[in-house]
Amino acid sequence: MYYNPTKLYFGKDSLDYLKEELNNYGNNVVLIYGGGSVKKNGIYDKVVEILKSCGKNIIEDSGVMSNPTLDKLYDGIRIAREAKADLLLALGGGSVIDYAKGVSASVNLPFNVDPWKEYYLEFNECTVKPIPVGAILTMVGTGSEMNGGSVITNTKDKIKNGKVFDSNLYPKFTILNPEFTYTVPRYQMVAGIFDIMSHIMEQYFSDNDDNTSDYIMEGLMRSLIASSKIAVKNPTDYDARSNIMWTATWALNTLVAKGKTEDWEVHMIGQAISAVTNATHGMTLSAVSLPYYYHVMPYGLPKFKRFAMNVWNVSPFGKNAGAIYAKTDTEIAKEGLLMMSEWMREIGLVMHISDLGVTPNNFDAILNATILLDGGYKKLSKEDVLNILNASM
Ligand code: NZQ
Ligand code: ZN
């Protein structure tokens, strides 16, 4: 079954459609945003003006932090309940939208049911009526704008878990204006770019069949690599920011997962690192990806060869003293990962977990928090994870 109910408005004028969308909901709008970037860059004022012109009661829920916490989620559920919210309008990046979905699924839970246990530990479906979520995206990477993902961090237990809700919890509509991302700090921008790359790789590096989804993903990765190189040099290049935004949405809105078992082990390790250090999501992924992929490469060699040739244009032939020779599959595959590492350095990604504040003292906590999955080419043992952490120091 393939179904994605999120309506997208894309482009420079996409905010103009907010008014039309607001007609579909009652008067009480909880406006959810983060630490204040939207006030500095003026997007908040534009949105409030539209809400006011539609006669909405605006109830503010601000201060949603990166890697939103369980305590903040409890706070948001209370705010939305007191407001008798008709719509949760998420204005921000993945953290704000993920949080809005958590609030949405929890407002109508009985008071004796803890959303943390219900959704983020036991991963139960949401069986109560959700509050509709609308999104205005200001930071690109997670794909939260068109999916059911909601990642929450329990700071007390040092667990960062993601619930993937069903399509009832997807944003009803999302406004995507690439210009709204111009003010994102470079560190966050490149972290978001790698998050997109990682979402695609987590789905691409599974199974061995010839699948349309893999061809779509190769196109998405090529577009992302090309546009990322432009965006780091010129953050206000509209075409580049627009391609990156669109790629992010299609990388994780369930389309390219069709026909794939999907891996997600890099995300499991990355989430464990964030749980312990509160590091930026995309940077946790960039820091562990190369050691991870070198580790699993022998188990999925044909796909790594294909990745090298179709994404990085690695030639299967080499030249030695003027003579042309055929490279081995391993040589081709390794060259692909080498090209990827050069691109990662070029755009300024974090390559070592030690640069995120991880020390060997954190290893036990990270290992404890890492969920081991079996959708990729090799199910890791805890020892494998430890080797990957060591290789990333
Ligand atoms: O809080 P403010 O002041 O708004 O600043 C934010 C934040 O510090 C800033 N920012 C956002 N838009 C801006 C801006 N600064 C200037 N100008 C703008 N236009 O950027 C910082 C990062 O924002 P955040 O929302 O935290 O980033 P991101 O979109 O990367 O979201 C990260 C969260 O999403 C989860 C991650 O684990 C993490 O908790 N994920 C969600 C997924 C999903 N829903 O499917 C999948 C992902 O794999 C990921 O796990
Ligand atoms: Zn991610």
Side-chain angles (χ1 to χ4, degrees):
M1 193 270 278
Y2 180 69
Y3 175 62
N4 192 319
T6 302
K7 189 195 281 186
L8 302 177
Y9 295 96
F10 193 97
K12 290 180 184 180
D13 302 324
S14 48
L15 190 62
D16 294 350
Y17 294 88
L18 177 60
K19 215 171 189 158
E20 214 169 275
E21 280 298 327
L22 289 172
N23 287 335
N24 299 326
Y25 305 95
N27 267 342
N28 298 330
V29 178
V30 178
L31 180 59
I32 303 177
Y33 57 98
S37 68
V38 291
K39 287 201 167 164
K40 276 190 220 132
N41 60 25
I43 304 171
Y44 170 91
D45 287 339
K46 289 184 188 160
V47 171
V48 166
E49 196 185 311
I50 295 169
L51 286 166
K52 283 188 177 156
S53 73
C54 295
K56 301 294 182 186
N57 305 323
I58 306 169
I59 303 95
E60 299 233 351
D61 179 0
S62 63
V64 179
M65 60 295 278
S66 273
N67 304 325
T69 64
L70 179 60
D71 287 339
K72 178 65 191 162
L73 179 67
Y74 290 142
D75 200 31
I77 297 167
R78 181 187 50 76
I79 295 171
R81 279 179 177 155
E82 284 172 11
K84 298 197 173 11
D86 296 308
L87 175 70
L88 305 175
L89 187 57
L91 173 58
S95 295
V96 170
I97 305 175
D98 279 18
Y99 165 90
K101 291 175 201 163
V103 172
S104 160
S106 306
V107 166
N108 289 321
L109 279 179
F111 280 86
N112 60 353
V113 176
D114 180 9
W116 175 251
K117 182 164 173 281
E118 185 71 8
Y119 297 132
Y120 300 93
L121 281 183
E122 294 180 355
F123 304 107
N124 294 318
E125 290 310 325
C126 170
T127 52
V128 296
K129 196 169 180 294
I131 309 296
V133 172
I136 301 166
L137 192 68
T138 66
M139 146 89 205
V140 168
T142 65
S144 191
E145 63 273 18
M146 201 183 187
N147 70 30
S150 169
V151 185
I152 297 292
T153 301
N154 180 328
T155 45
K156 189 167 91 1
D157 297 344
K158 295 214 178 306
I159 302 176
K160 181 181 186 188
N161 274 357
K163 163 72 185 158
V164 181
F165 287 108
D166 72 18
S167 56
N168 280 338
L169 269 296
Y170 288 25
K172 300 291 175 210
F173 63 89
T174 290
I175 288 167
L176 297 156
N177 182 343
E179 290 180 340
F180 289 177
T181 68
Y182 286 175
T183 53
V184 172
R186 169 176 289 248
Y187 187 87
Q188 294 293 342
M189 177 181 79
V190 295
I193 288 168
F194 195 78
D195 194 19
I196 304 167
M197 187 71 180
S198 178
H199 294 159
I200 302 172
M201 292 173 78
E202 298 271 28
Q203 296 167 93
Y204 184 78
F205 287 108
S206 63
D207 305 306
N208 290 306
D209 56 335
D210 185 42
N211 190 312
T212 297
S213 291
D214 290 320
Y215 290 85
I216 300 174
M217 286 190 268
E218 286 163 359
L220 292 174
M221 286 190 273
R222 293 174 72 98
S223 166
L224 179 69
I225 295 159
S227 288
S228 64
K229 291 181 182 181
I230 298 168
V232 289
K233 291 203 187 89
N234 180 10
T236 58
D237 184 297
Y238 182 82
D239 287 347
R241 296 310 284 264
S242 152
N243 282 337
I244 295 168
M245 190 173 229
W246 194 237
T247 303
T249 303
W250 288 91
L252 197 54
N253 68 2
T254 73
L255 176 82
V256 298
K258 294 298 124 184
K260 304 291 301 180
T261 52
E262 310 175 53
D263 181 357
W264 296 107
E265 196 55 51
V266 168
H267 270 67
M268 294 303 105
I269 303 172
Q271 276 174 210
I273 293 168
S274 274
V276 173
T277 60
N278 196 28
T280 298
H281 173 64
M283 295 307 191
T284 64
L285 308 175
S286 64
V288 298
S289 277
L290 284 167
Y292 175 77
Y293 287 113
Y294 277 116
H295 189 86
V296 300
M297 191 182 77
Y299 305 90
L301 194 56
K303 196 53 162 293
F304 282 88
K305 178 185 173 190
R306 179 176 164 164
F307 175 68
M309 291 171 61
N310 293 3
V311 179
W312 299 100
N313 298 327
V314 172
S315 166
F317 301 104
K319 250 190 192 170
N320 197 353
I324 292 176
Y325 71 95
K327 295 174 191 165
T328 65
D329 289 357
T330 303
E331 280 172 333
I332 298 168
K334 281 190 176 162
E335 216 175 304
L337 290 181
L338 183 69
M339 301 272 298
M340 180 166 107
S341 72
E342 282 168 8
W343 166 70
M344 291 171 73
R345 288 197 176 85
E346 179 183 338
I347 66 169
L349 286 157
V350 172
M351 308 295 276
H352 300 283
I353 53 174
S354 44
D355 292 333
L356 300 171
V358 175
T359 69
N361 290 339
N362 302 127
F363 283 4
D364 278 347
I366 294 171
L367 289 176
N368 275 337
T370 301
I371 299 171
L372 301 174
L373 301 172
D374 58 7
Y377 290 124
K378 182 182 192 292
K379 183 170 181 185
L380 299 187
S381 63
K382 291 274 173 180
E383 203 187 331
D384 292 329
V385 180
L386 186 61
N387 288 338
I388 288 164
L389 295 177
N390 269 314
S392 173
M393 285 299 284

